[in-house]
Amino acid sequence: MSTELPPVAPEVLAEAVENLTARLRKKLDDATAGCADTAVREADGSVTFRFGEDALVTLRPGPAGTVTEAGQATCTCLLAPRCLHRAAALGAAPLADAAPPEPEPAVTAGTEQATAAGAAESAEASASAEAGSAERAGPAGPAEPVPALTAAQLGAAAALWHAAAEALAAGVTAGGAVVQAELLRAAHTARLAGLPRAEAAALRVVRGLRAARERRTAHRLGDLTGSFRELLHTAGVLASGAADPALTGTSRRAYAAGGSLQVHGLCREPVLSATGYGGVVTHLLAPDGSRYSISDVRPGGLARARGAGRASVALGGATLDHAGLARGGLRIVGATVSAEGRLGAGRGVKATPLPGAPWTDGPAAPLFARPAAEAVAALLADPADAADTETTLIGCDVVVVGPAGDHLLVREARPHGPLLRLLPAHPHPELPHTENLRRIAAYPGLRLRVLGRPDLDRAATLRPVAVGPVPGEPYTLRLPEEWLGRADLGYERLQGEHFPPPDTAAPATGPGPGPEPASDAPDPLADSPLWRVRRLLETGVAGGRRAVAEAARGTAPLAAYGPLRRAGLTGAADLAAALAAEADRRPRDAFGRLADPSPDGYAWAWLAAATHLAGAERSLVAASWTATPSGATSAAP
């Protein structure tokens, strides 16, 4: 019988593994496998694991439901607490978000306690859902000098780099509990040194390694490759002494005084993270175009994500719920605003509801007047705003072409508009995103007004959050008046009555040439030979350094990198060849011992190839949003 296990703090698991002898560490992976299936939840809330007749491990989580101290995990065997049973039970439990730093004495009117460094990681895991804010109103203040990294931060970054390099060289096949524990210990040291972003990146890598080794259905090797790239980049740059606030991160979200604001609702969307958090975020827009959001995210998972759509808005005594705010507005006095545009509920904040307005009126109208290609190009123009790039919503009018594989193919409703792919913003089957897109796909030629988040890892892909009718078009959605011209795809289900009758469809479904078959949709990422570099990097993540070294032997490199050079991608070819050569470089002394056992050279070569690939693919994605007069997209990076 499988029992839900309490989350375990990373430092508790790391300490338990470190206390094992070398002989016991070799047995840890086998002892952990299947351990969760034997867990039993007791009446007092503890969870027990039986190992033979004389060993009983008990996990007693604290009030928050998490094992945060070593004393909360006990074993009855003679070797406890340095026993294999205790470490295996802790390793079978999910990783908890890191504990917050010591609380400060008070929170001023302009500051609110943010989630912990690790809890921020869980929010970051759902950052694509919580999204949104780019520019702030008013001129930016003078830049403050960036403080230099402390000796503790430099040491923590160097230790994290070394642990990440060892994990990359091992790969998924050899990245068992011991390798993961080294990463967790380095991540804990990074948190204590004040490097929350590095810690969050390390936790994502550990969770990805666990998912890969357990062969979970939600695991994607590409996601784990991206997590390794971010971890190595963050740790490597910090270890070199670069004091960039964007790389160190913050474990507290500062809220500054925003004065008086008037904001109008755009839409709401559910938030569902991989670490058990759920809730809602409502996106708002000011008359000057500044973007804001109000989120309500707490532990609770899917149930809370579904129910929070009608939860009350905890802001200045406002009497609206999130459903009303998404179609209404607020006049706020004494507002507090974070750098990301989140509105805080500090003391002294007062809010008064405002009547709602459709997308065609007010500040939302300019969102749909700008071509989607221009909006995406503006997002990609400043690499420093990576967080905003991944979360900002853009709007466009589209014409439905039809379903194509796992996505819905549409064409932007403007002369020679590009073909776009619509994917569910949240693919969970219990949320209505997928079902709504499936219904829309049944109406080719339907004109839609879409508000969504561009997926910058795919060619011309948009993840819609809300849709509405196109003004003046007969063959478009017919939504109830109380919806004010938009439907939140994460909370409202489109029915047959919301679609027009078939006899109102126009014979031509788009400006210029009609929509081509879905199979003819151009995909510069799929057509580019860059997939060879991506496969090599993912091979290294899955099989480790040894698997990459195999690619350097024989004539395989010539066959693999020739197409890259013929396509003009000589930089990618050179970096891939250098990675394969470095993986196979294992110098030995006269006694057959490794002369240079450090994985640093291999990690740097892998990171260089991964960074170049990410930039090249991002260029291809940007090009896919721009169509030529013939309707084909450019495939050159």
Side-chain angles (χ1 to χ4, degrees):
M1 177 179 178
S2 181
T3 301
E4 184 177 355
L5 304 182
V8 173
E11 61 270 20
V12 175
L13 173 58
E15 181 183 8
V17 176
E18 185 181 21
N19 289 335
L20 295 179
T21 63
R23 181 179 63 85
L24 293 179
R25 289 187 183 188
K26 295 178 181 179
K27 301 179 179 181
L28 182 55
D29 288 331
D30 292 335
T32 304
C35 188
D37 296 332
T38 64
V40 177
R41 182 169 293 277
E42 305 296 341
D44 60 353
S46 62
V47 177
T48 59
F49 303 79
R50 172 67 67 177
F51 293 87
E53 297 182 357
D54 301 327
L56 180 67
V57 178
T58 304
L59 302 184
R60 294 184 176 86
T66 302
V67 178
T68 57
E69 299 178 2
Q72 294 174 337
T74 60
C75 181
T76 58
C77 76
L78 296 178
L79 293 179
R82 303 188 175 192
C83 63
L84 179 64
H85 315 117
R86 180 173 173 271
L90 290 172
L95 281 180
D97 297 319
E102 289 298 322
E104 299 186 2
V107 178
T108 63
T111 306
E112 292 183 352
Q113 176 73 36
T115 52
E121 188 274 334
S122 71
E124 189 173 344
S126 62
S128 61
E130 286 192 56
S133 7
E135 304 90 7
R136 296 274 66 74
E144 297 182 359
V146 178
L149 295 178
T150 65
Q153 288 176 322
L154 290 173
L160 188 56
W161 163 267
H162 181 72
E166 292 282 1
L168 178 67
V172 172
T173 54
V178 176
V179 172
Q180 296 171 25
E182 293 298 328
L183 272 173
L184 293 178
R185 175 160 290 281
H188 180 61
T189 304
R191 178 175 70 85
L192 295 179
L195 302 175
R197 174 172 173 176
E199 180 211 20
L203 292 181
R204 279 195 297 276
V205 168
V206 173
R207 289 189 174 105
L209 287 173
R210 283 189 167 194
R213 291 179 63 83
E214 295 171 7
R215 299 183 179 180
R216 300 177 191 170
T217 56
H219 164 69
R220 290 182 66 247
L221 188 57
D223 293 340
L224 181 56
T225 303
S227 297
F228 263 111
R229 183 183 69 244
E230 181 182 354
L231 174 58
L232 289 170
H233 170 75
T234 303
V237 175
L238 288 173
S240 69
D244 186 352
L247 291 177
T248 56
T250 56
S251 56
R252 293 177 62 87
R253 183 180 296 121
Y255 285 77
S260 297
L261 294 176
Q262 180 176 321
V263 294
H264 299 272
L266 278 176
C267 62
R268 60 188 165 136
E269 61 171 320
V271 175
L272 185 61
S273 78
T275 51
Y277 282 75
V280 64
V281 59
T282 298
H283 301 279
L284 307 167
L285 197 62
D288 63 356
S290 299
R291 305 190 185 197
Y292 300 91
S293 64
I294 296 178
S295 60
D296 181 6
V297 182
R298 303 174 188 173
L302 176 64
R304 192 168 196 291
R306 298 175 63 180
R310 291 198 171 274
S312 298
V313 176
L315 181 67
T319 57
L320 288 174
D321 58 13
H322 282 272
L325 179 58
R327 293 184 172 88
L330 287 175
R331 179 177 287 109
I332 307 172
V333 178
T336 57
V337 188
S338 74
E340 300 85 7
R342 293 193 177 102
L343 296 175
R347 295 190 298 269
V349 178
K350 304 296 181 183
T352 305
L354 294 175
W359 282 348
T360 54
D361 301 328
L367 290 177
F368 303 95
R370 188 181 192 184
E374 291 185 10
V376 173
L379 290 178
L380 296 173
D382 190 358
D385 294 335
D388 288 339
T389 297
E390 299 293 339
T391 58
T392 301
L393 301 178
I394 67 172
C396 60
D397 293 346
V398 301
V399 181
V400 174
V401 176
D406 62 342
H407 58 267
L408 168 62
L409 195 65
V410 299
R411 176 181 287 280
E412 190 176 6
R414 61 178 64 249
H416 310 299
L419 285 169
L420 308 179
R421 298 162 178 82
L422 301 187
L423 284 176
H426 301 277
H428 196 287
E430 295 297 325
L431 296 175
H433 292 90
T434 303
E435 179 184 347
N436 283 330
L437 289 185
R438 188 179 297 114
R439 282 185 173 273
I440 293 173
Y443 291 83
L446 182 73
R447 292 179 177 264
L448 287 176
R449 178 155 285 185
V450 177
L451 185 67
R453 183 173 300 108
D455 187 340
L456 301 181
D457 293 329
R458 295 171 178 257
T461 299
L462 193 66
R463 295 187 180 270
V465 175
V467 296
V470 178
E473 294 290 342
Y475 197 60
T476 187
L477 291 177
R478 300 185 177 185
L479 302 179
E481 292 185 5
E482 59 270 20
W483 287 14
L484 289 182
R486 67 259 205 181
D488 297 328
L489 295 180
Y491 287 105
E492 286 145 350
R493 297 182 182 272
L494 296 175
Q495 305 296 334
E497 60 186 7
H498 299 147
F499 293 91
D503 56 5
T504 60
T509 57
E516 57 266 42
S519 59
D520 294 337
D523 189 343
L525 280 181
D527 298 338
S528 169
L530 285 174
W531 64 267
R532 300 171 184 273
V533 183
R534 189 184 316 114
R535 184 174 65 179
L536 180 65
L537 295 172
E538 292 179 353
T539 297
V541 172
R545 180 173 183 167
R546 181 177 299 178
V548 177
E550 292 295 331
R553 301 191 177 103
T555 60
L558 298 177
Y561 310 139
L564 288 169
R565 299 185 188 280
R566 289 192 293 272
L569 302 171
T570 56
D574 291 343
L575 290 172
L579 171 60
E582 179 63 30
D584 201 31
R585 189 184 67 83
R586 307 286 280 179
R588 298 181 180 273
D589 59 16
F591 298 97
R593 298 170 300 192
L594 286 176
D596 183 17
S598 173
D600 288 354
Y602 169 74
W604 282 117
W606 188 94
L607 178 59
T611 303
H612 183 277
L613 175 66
E617 289 184 336
R618 185 63 61 92
S619 298
L620 287 172
V621 169
S624 69
W625 286 84
T626 304
T628 64
S630 62
T633 58
S634 172

